[in-house]
Amino acid sequence: FPGIDLQGRNGLFHGGGWELLGRQFLAMTAILAWSMACIVPFFYLIGVLATKSSERDWRNPRLGLRLSTEAELLGSDEVVHGGADGNSKSYIEETKSVYTE
């Protein structure tokens, strides 16, 4: 690559051996570990804190990350954001009448 000095090291397919590939694998593993260490607690806390206080369960944080079955069928635009685009208004009204009866 232009402007990148690999200090004379070639990749695996160009006779450089496994050293450069090993370092790249180590870097990939470190990035994956860092990402998981940050994202797992974040979504765990969001999942637990997003549920109603009467339904909070620290053992099952997925409850706070999901919509109810009824809300999924109606659509998140309508339920979460309070509206939908013009094309889906009639479908939402039909779905509401079916599932609210």
Side-chain angles (χ1 to χ4, degrees), residues 11-12 16-30:
L12 178 64
W18 293 92
E19 181 184 1
L20 187 57
L21 188 64
R23 288 181 184 205
Q24 291 170 340
F25 184 76
L26 179 64
M28 180 190 69
T29 304

Side-chain angles (χ1 to χ4, degrees), residues 85-100:
D85 63 351
N87 296 332
S88 59
K89 280 284 191 193
S90 60
Y91 173 75
I92 290 171
E93 294 303 321
E94 291 171 15
T95 308
K96 276 184 183 177
S97 65
V98 170
Y99 288 101
T100 55

Side-chain angles (χ1 to χ4, degrees), residues 3-92:
I4 297 176
D5 182 23
L6 296 176
Q7 300 168 348
R9 293 187 182 102
N10 293 320
L12 178 64
F13 298 124
H14 295 285
W18 293 92
E19 181 184 1
L20 187 57
L21 188 64
R23 288 181 184 205
Q24 291 170 340
F25 184 76
L26 179 64
M28 180 190 69
T29 304
I31 291 169
L32 180 66
W34 176 260
S35 300
M36 293 301 290
C38 292
I39 210 73
V40 168
F42 173 77
F43 277 112
Y44 180 81
L45 287 174
I46 294 297
V48 170
L49 297 177
T51 56
K52 297 176 187 172
S53 59
S54 61
E55 298 174 1
R56 281 193 185 146
D57 183 8
W58 61 270
R59 292 167 286 167
N60 190 5
R62 292 174 294 165
L63 293 175
L65 296 173
R66 295 210 43 150
L67 292 173
S68 66
T69 304
E70 192 174 272
E72 284 182 12
L73 292 172
L74 290 173
S76 63
D77 284 340
E78 182 72 23
V79 175
V80 177
H81 306 296
D85 63 351
N87 296 332
S88 59
K89 280 284 191 193
S90 60
Y91 173 75
I92 290 171

